[in-house]
Amino acid sequence: MSTSKVMSTEILEIQPQELKFTFEVKKQSSCSIRLGNNSDQYVAFKVKTTSPKKYCVRPNTGIIKPKMTCDFTVIMQAQRAAPPDMQCKDKFLIQSTFIPFGSTEEDITSDMFAKDSGKYIVVKKLRVILTVPPPSPILLPINGVLKQDPSCEASMQKEIVRSGVENIPPPQRVNEDVKGIEIAEEMDELRAVDFEDSKPVDNVEELKVVKKDVELNLAKDFEDLKLKLNVTDSTLREAEFKTMKLTEERRMTNLEKDRLKHELEMLRKNSVKRAQVGFPLLYVCMVALVSVALGYLMHL
């Protein structure tokens, strides 16, 4: 029986056992999974999915030391439409295996999790569950003031009546209170409109000042950048000139060195020739002196 077959004993403790995403159209959603290593060995893991273009896993591989935990995050890309009945058929696969002590993430390869690798590999499947965001009370504008939807408000009143918390006042009193509130709200609304109408002039002036300051800052930054570029350019030119000068000096030094070598060779050759030529001349002189001496003695 191959050791790569899925065993009942799990290497990693996975929490939670499913991926829950709060689904909203054209919005990203994410969830986190925690992996716990309860063994006394190093464990490597790898995360796979049936829809790799739809999800982003960070990190999708890793190493968990003994008695340590590691979290990875799954990001679901924004979708244009919701699946039928909010049922998602995507699946995730978490592979885990023991690795040598002291291994690093650079040592993780795809061959570690292959079925024919002969290693003890545990595979855990996680399903994807989509949930809808919690409903928020619907607000409708009435006289410039946001109020709840009547249906929502009616349901809330029914709940309050059932609980026996609120004492409902007589209808006439309610109407008078509502009229007084609406008049006060209209006055506040008019004041707010007048205030808002007188404010844009100041805002325009402030925007002009801010725009001018931004333009001045941009111009200053541009000049500073231009000055730095000029300094850098001059430094590069100076470095190029020094490099060319050093190269020329090195070339001249090599030429002078070659010339001196050539002159030294010529001096050695001339001295050898002089030594060879000088020996016979000395020999001839000595023979001549001996001959003169013998002739002089013979005449005596």
Side-chain angles (χ1 to χ4, degrees):
M1 182 175 179
S2 176
T3 57
S4 63
K5 188 176 180 180
V6 178
M7 300 292 182
S8 59
T9 304
E10 295 183 359
I11 298 176
L12 296 176
E13 180 181 355
I14 304 173
Q15 292 294 336
Q17 296 288 326
E18 54 192 10
L19 288 90
K20 290 185 178 181
F21 295 95
T22 302
F23 184 85
E24 292 186 72
V25 178
K26 297 182 180 180
K27 286 187 179 181
Q28 284 187 350
S29 181
S30 64
C31 68
S32 296
I33 300 294
R34 172 158 292 185
L35 305 177
N37 181 9
N38 296 325
S39 68
D40 296 326
Q41 302 183 46
Y42 274 46
V43 174
F45 72 90
K46 185 174 184 179
V47 183
K48 293 183 178 181
T49 179
T50 55
S51 302
K53 294 183 179 181
K54 187 176 177 180
Y55 300 94
C56 178
V57 182
R58 299 177 182 174
N60 61 343
T61 59
I63 293 176
I64 309 176
K65 296 181 180 180
K67 309 301 180 183
M68 301 294 288
T69 61
C70 177
D71 295 347
F72 69 87
T73 302
V74 181
I75 300 174
M76 183 176 66
Q77 304 297 333
Q79 303 298 311
R80 295 182 179 179
D85 299 329
M86 292 292 289
Q87 297 296 321
C88 184
K89 297 181 180 180
D90 299 333
K91 297 290 188 298
F92 278 80
L93 195 73
I94 301 177
Q95 297 174 308
S96 56
T97 183
F98 293 116
I99 56 176
F101 182 83
S103 300
T104 61
E105 293 184 0
E106 288 77 11
D107 300 327
I108 299 178
T109 60
S110 300
D111 297 336
M112 287 184 176
F113 305 97
K115 292 183 179 180
D116 55 353
S117 63
K119 286 192 173 186
Y120 175 63
I121 300 173
V122 175
V123 178
K124 179 67 176 179
K125 294 181 180 180
L126 304 181
R127 63 173 184 161
V128 176
I129 296 178
L130 302 181
T131 60
V132 295
S136 58
I138 301 173
L139 301 179
L140 298 176
I142 300 177
N143 293 329
V145 179
L146 292 177
K147 291 188 177 182
Q148 290 185 347
D149 188 3
S151 60
C152 181
E153 187 175 359
S155 62
M156 289 177 64
Q157 288 179 356
K158 288 180 181 179
E159 293 296 329
I160 293 173
V161 170
R162 289 177 184 175
S163 62
V165 175
E166 183 183 9
N167 294 322
I168 302 176
Q172 185 177 1
R173 179 84 175 273
V174 172
N175 292 333
E176 291 176 357
D177 293 340
V178 170
K179 288 180 180 179
I181 293 172
E182 289 181 352
I183 292 171
E185 288 175 349
E186 288 177 359
M187 293 298 295
D188 293 337
E189 184 182 359
L190 289 175
R191 289 173 186 172
V193 170
D194 292 339
F195 178 74
E196 293 295 332
D197 288 342
S198 62
K199 195 173 180 179
V201 177
D202 297 334
N203 290 338
V204 171
E205 295 297 330
E206 291 177 1
L207 288 174
K208 288 182 179 179
V209 173
V210 171
K211 183 179 179 182
K212 192 173 293 183
D213 292 340
V214 171
E215 290 177 353
L216 290 174
N217 291 332
L218 288 175
K220 185 178 179 181
D221 293 340
F222 179 75
E223 291 297 331
D224 292 341
L225 182 61
K226 188 176 180 181
L227 181 61
K228 289 179 181 179
L229 288 174
N230 291 334
V231 172
T232 305
D233 188 37
S234 61
T235 304
L236 289 174
R237 289 182 181 179
E238 186 177 355
E240 290 177 358
F241 177 75
K242 288 183 179 179
T243 303
M244 292 176 61
K245 187 176 180 181
L246 290 173
T247 304
E248 184 65 22
E249 289 179 355
R250 184 177 180 182
R251 189 179 68 84
M252 295 300 295
T253 303
N254 291 334
L255 290 175
E256 185 68 18
K257 186 178 179 180
D258 293 338
R259 188 179 66 80
L260 291 174
K261 283 184 179 180
H262 180 70
E263 290 182 356
L264 184 60
E265 290 293 331
M266 293 297 295
L267 288 173
R268 286 178 181 175
K269 290 180 180 179
N270 291 334
S271 45
V272 170
K273 287 181 180 180
R274 288 176 183 175
Q276 291 177 353
V277 172
F279 178 74
L281 181 62
L282 180 62
Y283 178 75
V284 171
C285 292
M286 290 179 66
V287 171
L289 290 174
V290 171
S291 300
V292 172
L294 290 174
Y296 179 73
L297 291 174
M298 289 178 63
H299 285 293
L300 293 176

